[in-house]
Amino acid sequence: MQNIAIFGATGSIGDSTLDVIGKHAERFSVYALSAHSRIQKLLALCLVHHPKVVIVPDEIAEKKFRQLWPANIAMPEIRVGSKGLCETARDPEVDAVVAAIVGTAGLPSAFAAAQAGKRILLANKEALVAAGSLFMETVKKNNAILLPLDSEHNAIFQCLPGGKNNSQVKRLVLTASGGPFRNIDPSRLSAVTPEQACKHPNWSMGRKISIDSATMLNKGLEVIEAKWMFDVDASKIDVLVHPESTIHSMVEYIDGSLLAQLGNPDMRIPISYALGYPDRIESNTENFDLSRLLQLNFELPDYKRFPCLKLAFDALQSSQSDCVVLNASNEIAVDYFLKNRIKFTDIAVTIEKMLDGFAGTVKGSLGHIDDVFELDALTRSHTSELLNNTH
Ligand code: NDP
Ligand code: MG
């Protein structure tokens, strides 16, 4: 029996993870669940999954949880804030941590899990984008096991023998759906609404990653994530737009063989693979019917339509600091867009301004995780300042 802590349990990855875990009660036990704003949903999840621990963001949320909790049922232990998340990541009772908090808010607890040598099921790509080499060094040093939940990385992991990097790999090919605006006239992009941008053609996801998919920065973050996770040079990672989202990514070997993983666009498949690894377990997803597939299409990404993808490749080539700035300025810009305070096309403009202006002024290397947190926080405040002054 494995004790699982799910950070970001109230989100889309949290839902899919709990759905899979619910089918395998003999194998997994829900030890801890965390929420940020959806305390009522956390309570509902507790009544189904009976965790021993919950983590809420602050004392106000703690009070709300206590008030809502039914008097006749034993209450789980309540831990608070990032400290509570990190304590849970290190908790000796926890076997595996599902890192599914969105944004760099998920980095401290994912990093704590790496320090504690846990089995980490990583959805939170922003952690690897911001802390890349430090994160991977910490995983290695503490014999943690890092298993990707991101569907592309999970596909690549499945196509690499033993899940390891291999000198016989020629390149990794990350597939991308192209999002909701793959075919829209680029002149109309400045007028698209958050609702239109969140309507992904194939996947159902949280709002931040949905916007990242629409700008294709998501794919850029995934290229950075893949570089660190699989220890592959950026020049060996390609992106291919594949609108059907049937092939979730590929590994090309030096002999010319290409291995691909195919399946429905349903996160319960990669989640099941990581939860069960090295076993395969049932994911309870719909049957995948190849005979109903009319065709598989591929095209090269259009950097003019998707400037964020190019910005991510450039940041990766440039420095770890640039990756932190890219990621943090994007989080702020996406938040402003979701609140209708800037246009969709302002997201790329903002990131570029932060990379061109602010990132150049950053001194020193990111030798310690606190340096990453500091630069992340500084970028956020500079980006907010920029947007408040110009919009
Ligand atoms: P959601 O927005 O659906 O869920 C985010 C979760 O994080 C919620 O539980 C939310 O709590 C919590 N949260 C938000 N802000 C904070 C914070 N400051 N501190 C602590 N917890 C916080 O996102 P997704 O589930 O879609 O994505 C989660 C992560 O997984 C992202 O990094 C995303 O890139 C990655 N991912 C997602 C995929 C998907 O299919 N959804 C696919 C691949 C990767 P609450 O809801 O209570 O506010
Ligand atoms: Mg993905």
Side-chain angles (χ1 to χ4, degrees), residues 125 150-152 218-219 222:
K125 64 193 85 188
D150 214 345
S151 58
E152 296 75 5
N218 181 51
K219 210 50 54 182
E222 290 182 356

Side-chain angles (χ1 to χ4, degrees), residues 125 149-153 175 203 205 209 218-219 222 225 267:
K125 64 193 85 188
L149 292 192
D150 214 345
S151 58
E152 296 75 5
H153 305 72
T175 51
W203 297 92
M205 308 181 287
I209 184 176
N218 181 51
K219 210 50 54 182
E222 290 182 356
E225 181 186 11
M267 285 308 291

Side-chain angles (χ1 to χ4, degrees), residues 41-84:
K41 178 166 180 183
L42 175 68
L43 181 108
L45 293 178
C46 288
L47 296 177
V48 176
H49 297 281
H50 313 293
K52 295 210 169 57
V53 171
V54 293
I55 308 101
V56 295
D58 50 31
E59 278 72 23
I60 297 168
E62 177 181 359
K63 198 170 158 205
K64 185 172 176 192
F65 186 85
R66 284 187 190 283
Q67 278 168 353
L68 289 171
W69 190 264
N72 56 340
I73 303 175
M75 195 186 293
E77 180 188 336
I78 306 175
R79 296 179 186 166
V80 176
S82 194
K83 198 164 153 260

Side-chain angles (χ1 to χ4, degrees), residues 8 10-13 36-38 100 102 105 123 125-126 150 205-206 267:
T10 43
S12 158
I13 292 286
H36 192 64
S37 61
R38 286 178 271 187
V102 60
K125 64 193 85 188
E126 295 92 343
D150 214 345
M205 308 181 287
M267 285 308 291

Side-chain angles (χ1 to χ4, degrees), residues 307-308 311 344-355 386:
C308 284
L311 291 172
F344 180 76
T345 41
D346 289 332
I347 297 174
V349 173
T350 305
I351 300 171
E352 191 167 11
K353 275 191 188 154
M354 292 306 293
L355 283 170
L386 172 79

Side-chain angles (χ1 to χ4, degrees), residues 55-255:
I55 308 101
V56 295
D58 50 31
E59 278 72 23
I60 297 168
E62 177 181 359
K63 198 170 158 205
K64 185 172 176 192
F65 186 85
R66 284 187 190 283
Q67 278 168 353
L68 289 171
W69 190 264
N72 56 340
I73 303 175
M75 195 186 293
E77 180 188 336
I78 306 175
R79 296 179 186 166
V80 176
S82 194
K83 198 164 153 260
L85 287 165
C86 293
E87 181 190 341
T88 309
R90 288 189 290 263
D91 191 323
E93 297 277 322
V94 170
D95 299 304
V97 169
V98 176
I101 289 173
V102 60
T104 21
L107 173 57
S109 51
F111 196 77
Q115 286 175 316
K118 301 288 185 189
R119 190 175 158 104
I120 308 164
L121 281 63
L122 187 75
N124 178 239
K125 64 193 85 188
E126 295 92 343
L128 267 191
V129 171
S133 62
L134 277 171
F135 195 96
M136 294 311 294
E137 274 165 29
T138 308
V139 164
K140 278 197 199 96
K141 197 168 127 199
N142 298 289
N143 294 319
I145 298 169
L146 185 62
L147 298 162
L149 292 192
D150 214 345
S151 58
E152 296 75 5
H153 305 72
N154 192 278
I156 289 168
F157 188 71
Q158 294 194 40
C159 296
L160 286 171
K164 288 197 186 70
N165 180 26
N166 186 316
S167 59
Q168 292 145 16
V169 169
K170 191 168 171 194
R171 62 181 183 135
L172 307 180
V173 182
L174 297 184
T175 51
S177 68
F181 305 137
R182 187 174 60 89
N183 285 324
I184 191 179
D185 182 337
S187 67
R188 288 178 49 214
L189 278 175
S190 63
V192 300
T193 65
E195 285 61 41
Q196 290 169 317
C198 279
K199 262 209 184 110
H200 196 280
N202 306 337
W203 297 92
S204 156
M205 308 181 287
R207 281 165 75 78
K208 191 260 179 187
I209 184 176
S210 296
I211 303 300
D212 287 350
S213 300
T215 61
M216 273 192 84
L217 185 74
N218 181 51
K219 210 50 54 182
L221 299 179
E222 290 182 356
V223 168
I224 303 173
E225 181 186 11
K227 181 217 149 63
W228 294 115
M229 187 173 274
F230 302 114
D231 192 18
V232 165
D233 193 78
S235 62
K236 290 168 96 178
I237 307 175
D238 289 342
V239 170
L240 202 54
V241 174
H242 164 47
E244 291 83 7
S245 297
T246 296
I247 293 181
H248 297 304
S249 276
M250 298 177 254
V251 178
E252 183 179 352
Y253 286 89
I254 50 175
D255 62 3

